[in-house]
Amino acid sequence: LICFATGETPGITHNGLYIGNRQFIHASSSAKKVIISSLTEYYWRNAFRTARQILPDKQLWPQRVIWTK
């Protein structure tokens, strides 16, 4: 899961799923559909804030997941 701060609103405002090769899939408000974008694009490179991998908690799966740092 990758997180971005887009626009002037503080904090995380957009999320996507990393699919490898510096690309991620996300819902584009301008295109009005789900698209694949590159993390090397100027806009996304500057808006990037953090990325996390979600792993299942083996004892509680599928009720809960844990975040890795």
Side-chain angles (χ1 to χ4, degrees), residues 32-45:
K32 305 273 192 263
K33 62 182 178 178
V34 175
I35 63 172
I36 295 173
S37 295
S38 174
L39 289 169
T40 62
E41 293 174 33
Y42 178 81
Y43 180 81
W44 297 115
R45 197 171 62 240

Side-chain angles (χ1 to χ4, degrees), residues 6-69:
T6 59
E8 297 179 17
T9 305
I12 303 301
T13 57
H14 193 73
N15 296 299
L17 297 174
Y18 185 72
I19 58 173
N21 199 28
R22 298 183 187 154
Q23 295 183 321
F24 67 103
I25 188 168
H26 63 108
S28 169
S29 58
S30 59
K32 305 273 192 263
K33 62 182 178 178
V34 175
I35 63 172
I36 295 173
S37 295
S38 174
L39 289 169
T40 62
E41 293 174 33
Y42 178 81
Y43 180 81
W44 297 115
R45 197 171 62 240
N46 289 321
F48 176 81
R49 292 298 173 265
T50 190
R52 294 288 186 264
Q53 181 178 10
I54 303 173
L55 300 173
D57 181 321
K58 292 179 183 177
Q59 295 177 339
L60 300 176
W61 181 256
Q63 292 84 12
R64 194 181 100 182
V65 295
I66 56 173
W67 290 84
T68 63
K69 292 187 178 186

